[in-house]
Amino acid sequence: MSVYGPVVKIHPVVLASICDSYERRNEGASRVIGTLLGTVDKHSIEVTNCFSVPHNESEDEVAVDMEFAKNMYELHKRVSPTEVIIGWYATGFDITEHSVLIHEYYSREASNPIHLTVDTALQSGKMNIRAYLSAQMGVPGKTVGVMFTPLTVKYIYYDTERIGVDLLQRTRDAPSRSKGLTSDLSQVGGAAARVQDMLTTVLAYIDDVLSGKVAADNSVGRFLTDLVNKVPTIPPEDFENMLNSNINDLLMVTYLSNLTQAQIALHEKLVLLS
Amino acid sequence: MASRKELSSVSSSGMASTGGTLDSPVKQVQIEGLVVMKIIKHYQEEGQGSEVVQGVLLGLVVDDRLEITNCFPFPQHTEDDADFDEVQYQMEMMRSLRHVNIDHLHVGWYQSTYYGSFVSRALLDSQFSYQHAIEESVVLIYDPIKTAQGSLSLKAYRLTPKLMEICKEKDFTPEGLKKASIGFENMFEEVPIVIKNSHLINVLMWELEDKSTVADKHELLNLSSSNHLEKSLQLLMDRVDDMSQEIVKYNTYSRNLSKQQQQKHQYLQRRQQENAQRQSRGEAPLPEEDMSKLFKPPQPPPRMDSLLIAGQINNYCQNVKEFTSQNLGKLFMAEALQGQN
């Protein structure tokens, strides 16, 4: 199913913010809405920030605090002047009539705003994250309706974000949902373990293909040849040399820093004595 | 809201006095995943040019834990806007956040750092004013370069009570510091950090893992180290140079002081001799003159700067050692793998 329209790229910060505002919603409110900030490109819209806006919703009317939204946007602009309002979000599964009204307001703020829904109530067992653009529909001349057309959603990360998200993902496994920050060598060990896991999976796949259980896939085969060719073949003496020189550098630096630390500690003690 | 439990965390040794519990009101800092991501994002977007990127931490204090539940960034110091802007910005932000039920209690601030160089007068002053106002506040130091190398580097620091005393007195002379017996090791204490996520965020994490591509997140196993080492060593050398200048200043001061003591001594002796002579001649002795007016004692140099520099050097050394230990591990691993071929 090809989807026309820009691709929506979301940063995980935005989704975490939305979930957090949903958890902190007022008593009785069934959903939360807020503004999305980001940048617009020719073919893609990048959502980098968001903030929630207080609103009241009842059967036949909806009230959104516009002042608040404007104020917050000004404050945010002071910090990151490149972000503009690109749309709004709402938690919940469906799009209601109220959404249309709110969307109209946002179309005054930004040209062609996008509407993001995050299903925090997990109605369908998954947290559906969808984005929509509005389009006019109906018979010209008569009452015009609004249709929300879906857009493709992708998640993008900065490198550092990726690393942060990885750490956060590990809190899933601990039963008390918390995790301390590990220190040096254990991190290297962890990374090595992950690579090892990946290699085991690849090996298992290769075994399956060889024994005929799984049909061989050419593209995967090409990736595998790339992988094997990437490991450089270095004659052992050269490798020894490189290794030793590197180790020597590191040891020297460690020695120097220990020396410096001892020096300043000594200096401190002497000053205190004099 | 979901009930929260906590797990005691692994504490990493930093500038704190290791071993034993901290005798401060805050024994652990619990950070929400959202805050971590916001800090990372803020540096990524706004921090490429200037050195530091700052913001405020919001949260609450539960027993002896400091829970940080949200944060907001500070705009950069621009040339045209004055300080007044900052206070107003902060007030407005907090007021607005209160409307959406976000904890609006100030509990600290965060700052990004460049290769670990954050021990400065400005940091000390800011943290002192924060801690003075709010007993349990911390400063979170985020190191983006170390994070880019593969592991999130976020540390929480507080000033030790001793240092708080000294800052209050504003007494930075050598005697003052000696009285409090502060060394650079007792300046800051590191508070262990735990990251905590609510259930909903965990669901989000599962979703993301599903939908996003497996990135090449193997920066951690990168073997190249010279670039990072070079920069760290450069900074270390600069600091050591500063330190030696301070030491020279202090040496000249103590030399001046002792010279002056000698001169005073000589003067007194001469006086006494003269008086003895006059007495022997039967004249009135010369009046004793006020010593302090004659010999003005030289100003003792403030020791605070050298203390800060010492602390900074210590921090650099610590970072360098951590880095080298990691790299040695990687190199040995590479050797083992090569040996198998």
Side-chain angles (χ1 to χ4, degrees), chain A residues 12-13 15-17 19-20 22-26 48-49 52-54 68 71-72 75-76 78-83 120 122 126-129 155 157-158 160-169 171-181 183-185 187-188 191-192 194-195 198 231 234 239-240 243 246-247 250-251 253-254 257-258 260-261 264-265 267-269 271-274, chain B residues 1 3 7 9-10 33-34 37 40-42 44-46 69-70 73 75 85 89 92-93 96-97 99-101 103 142 147-148 150-152 154 178 182-184 193-213 215 217-218 220-221 229 233 243 247 250 303 307 310 313-314 317-318 320-322 324-328 330-335 338:
Chain A
V13 175
L15 297 170
S17 250
C19 292
D20 184 65
Y22 178 74
E23 284 175 357
R24 291 170 185 279
R25 67 192 185 285
N26 283 319
T48 50
N49 205 350
S52 70
V53 175
F68 181 90
N71 245 346
M72 274 299 247
L75 292 176
H76 275 269
R78 284 254 203 103
V79 180
S80 15
T82 52
E83 288 183 346
T120 43
L122 305 171
K126 280 172 85 127
M127 189 188 272
N128 270 312
I129 302 176
Y155 304 108
Y157 307 80
Y158 301 123
T160 38
E161 261 186 340
R162 194 67 171 99
I163 295 173
V165 169
D166 276 344
L167 181 67
L168 297 180
Q169 283 186 334
T171 64
R172 299 188 307 231
D173 309 323
S176 54
R177 293 176 282 117
S178 61
K179 184 92 176 123
L181 299 175
S183 68
D184 353 320
L185 221 47
Q187 285 165 345
V188 179
R194 282 199 287 277
V195 175
M198 284 194 256
V231 180
I234 316 173
F239 186 77
E240 281 286 318
L243 196 72
N246 250 331
I247 292 184
L250 294 175
L251 284 176
V253 172
T254 320
S257 50
N258 274 333
T260 325
Q261 271 184 316
I264 43 176
H267 169 73
E268 284 291 325
K269 299 289 179 278
V271 165
L272 288 181
L273 274 180
S274 68
Chain B
M1 291 221 242
S3 66
L7 185 75
S9 67
V10 174
L34 175 66
M37 293 213 276
I40 295 180
K41 166 198 176 295
H42 183 212
Q44 192 74 31
E45 291 190 347
E46 308 299 329
T69 52
N70 216 323
D85 225 18
Y89 172 82
E92 285 223 28
M93 240 345 193
S96 318
L97 291 177
H99 279 303
V100 285
N101 296 337
D103 297 324
Y142 166 66
T147 308
S151 60
L152 180 65
L154 201 62
K178 217 188 301 180
I182 281 213
F184 61 84
I193 294 184
V194 175
I195 298 194
K196 184 108 201 277
N197 277 332
S198 63
H199 289 298
L200 200 54
I201 303 267
N202 275 344
V203 174
L204 179 69
M205 291 293 149
W206 280 110
E207 283 279 329
L208 286 180
E209 169 120 5
D210 226 8
K211 304 274 178 59
S212 20
T213 56
K217 36 185 174 164
H218 302 307
L220 192 51
L221 293 177
L229 268 184
L233 285 179
M243 185 65 160
I247 293 181
Y250 186 69
R303 300 292 301 162
L307 203 63
I313 293 181
N314 191 31
C317 292
Q318 204 68 29
V320 165
K321 283 200 292 195
E322 269 185 28
T324 53
S325 69
Q326 270 188 328
N327 266 38
L328 278 174
K330 287 187 231 169
L331 283 175
F332 281 123
M333 222 164 49
E335 181 183 17
Q338 186 75 358

Side-chain angles (χ1 to χ4, degrees), chain A residues 72-230:
Chain A
M72 274 299 247
Y73 177 53
E74 288 300 312
L75 292 176
H76 275 269
K77 232 161 86 142
R78 284 254 203 103
V79 180
S80 15
T82 52
E83 288 183 346
V84 288
I85 298 185
I86 52 169
W88 63 294
Y89 70 82
T91 60
F93 191 51
D94 282 328
I95 304 187
T96 63
E97 309 89 35
H98 302 313
S99 311
V100 179
L101 290 168
I102 305 178
H103 198 85
E104 258 207 45
Y105 165 68
Y106 275 101
S107 36
R108 264 177 271 144
E109 295 285 320
S111 64
N112 227 1
I114 60 171
H115 173 44
L116 187 73
T117 55
V118 179
D119 185 11
T120 43
L122 305 171
Q123 262 181 353
S124 57
K126 280 172 85 127
M127 189 188 272
N128 270 312
I129 302 176
R130 301 222 191 116
Y132 302 93
L133 255 190
S134 79
Q136 304 266 319
M137 74 166 180
V139 181
K142 303 263 170 82
T143 48
V144 185
V146 171
M147 180 175 69
F148 283 95
T149 51
L151 306 165
T152 32
V153 170
K154 283 209 175 92
Y155 304 108
I156 77 168
Y157 307 80
Y158 301 123
D159 298 328
T160 38
E161 261 186 340
R162 194 67 171 99
I163 295 173
V165 169
D166 276 344
L167 181 67
L168 297 180
Q169 283 186 334
R170 269 178 258 151
T171 64
R172 299 188 307 231
D173 309 323
S176 54
R177 293 176 282 117
S178 61
K179 184 92 176 123
L181 299 175
T182 55
S183 68
D184 353 320
L185 221 47
S186 45
Q187 285 165 345
V188 179
R194 282 199 287 277
V195 175
Q196 204 174 13
D197 283 340
M198 284 194 256
L199 283 176
T200 341
T201 334
V202 173
L203 281 175
Y205 172 77
I206 297 178
D207 283 335
D208 283 342
V209 170
L210 283 179
S211 59
K213 268 191 265 176
V214 179
D217 191 356
N218 274 339
S219 49
V220 177
R222 261 175 250 132
F223 278 128
L224 284 174
T225 27
D226 273 343
L227 182 69
V228 172
N229 283 338
K230 274 210 187 110

